[in-house]
Amino acid sequence: MFKQSFLPIQNNDIEVLILGSLPGDRSLQAQEYYAHPQNRFWKLIQRIFNITDFHSYSEKLNILLENRIGLWDVCAQAKRKGSMDLDILEEIPNDLTTFFSQHPHLHTIIFNGQKARKVFDKHFKKADQYQYYTLPSTSPANAQYSLEKLLLEWQVIFKKD
């Protein structure tokens, strides 16, 4: 069964783009990025930016955009049974080349997990004007990383001066 990505979370000011692989089933049902309650993505964003609690999905997205962070997936669509990244097959990538060209302030690309980076590397060449970071996946399937361990890895990229 083919599954479809969401539209990007973006504005003209983004400097950082976080790329996942493809939304999981819970996210697709909710029509929200990282909707699975055990996914640690939003918990990390909360901790990194000292947010007490999110009251809505739109508030989550606004925090990203206020901090010049965009969000999207490498895959526009792919075959996948269930939600595991390992099961992604026959992926068709999003048009990241055009996206990059439309965001002149973009300088950092962050892959949320190895699968996002591997699919990117399969379909795109890395450009010298960007810094690329592959960070541990926030997925509940990445059980070897506690929230605290993920925070140590992820906060390095978002340290505020």
Side-chain angles (χ1 to χ4, degrees), residues 40-147:
R40 281 86 45 96
F41 181 80
W42 294 115
K43 290 178 182 93
L44 281 175
I45 296 301
Q46 242 181 298
R47 297 277 295 275
I48 289 166
F49 295 109
N50 295 316
I51 307 296
T52 306
D53 196 14
F54 289 120
H55 301 290
S56 67
Y57 181 62
S58 62
E59 184 181 354
K60 293 174 180 178
L61 301 181
N62 286 336
I63 291 298
L64 291 179
L65 294 175
E66 286 170 12
N67 286 281
R68 294 184 162 85
I69 300 168
L71 187 60
W72 207 12
D73 289 304
V74 179
C75 298
Q77 62 180 355
K79 275 189 181 177
R80 181 173 65 193
K81 184 178 180 179
S83 297
M84 298 293 291
D85 277 357
L86 293 173
D87 295 331
I88 292 174
L89 300 169
E90 299 178 37
E91 74 276 350
I92 298 166
N94 275 311
D95 186 359
L96 293 171
T97 304
T98 299
F99 184 91
F100 292 170
S101 71
Q102 293 171 343
H103 293 84
H105 305 292
L106 185 63
H107 56 72
T108 302
I109 313 300
I110 296 173
F111 300 107
N112 185 352
Q114 294 288 332
K115 184 65 172 191
R117 183 193 50 80
K118 287 178 182 172
V119 173
F120 181 92
D121 289 346
K122 179 178 174 182
H123 295 280
F124 303 97
K125 288 188 190 267
K126 289 182 177 165
D128 291 338
Q129 70 262 39
Y130 304 114
Q131 290 183 298
Y132 297 88
Y133 298 92
T134 303
L135 296 177
S137 174
T138 60
S139 166
N142 186 13
Q144 68 183 8
Y145 276 85
S146 66
L147 179 60

Side-chain angles (χ1 to χ4, degrees), residues 10-37:
Q10 62 174 325
N11 62 26
N12 292 332
D13 298 327
I14 65 168
E15 297 175 359
V16 174
L17 178 64
I18 299 173
L19 289 170
S21 54
L22 184 70
D25 289 346
R26 285 274 183 90
S27 292
L28 291 169
Q29 289 167 355
Q31 287 296 291
E32 296 180 0
Y33 281 99
Y34 303 108
H36 192 289

